[in-house]
Amino acid sequence: MRKIFILVAAAAALTTAACNTVSGVGQDAAAAGNAVTSAAEEAKN
């Protein structure tokens, strides 16, 4: 029973870490998209 509890706790910790990582990647991609959009607008003018 103790091994199962440890495995569940480890899985929960890894899942939480993965969600934070994916969220960070999404924010980085959005920032890069905004930079490209701004550069395109400046080049157009």
Side-chain angles (χ1 to χ4, degrees), residues 7-28:
L7 288 175
V8 169
L14 289 174
T15 301
T16 301
C19 287
N20 288 336
T21 302
V22 171
S23 175
V25 169
Q27 291 173 353
D28 291 344

Side-chain angles (χ1 to χ4, degrees), residues 39-45:
E41 288 294 323
E42 288 178 14
K44 186 169 72 171
N45 294 330

Side-chain angles (χ1 to χ4, degrees), residues 1-15:
M1 183 70 177
R2 183 175 178 178
K3 287 183 182 180
I4 292 174
F5 177 74
I6 292 171
L7 288 175
V8 169
L14 289 174
T15 301

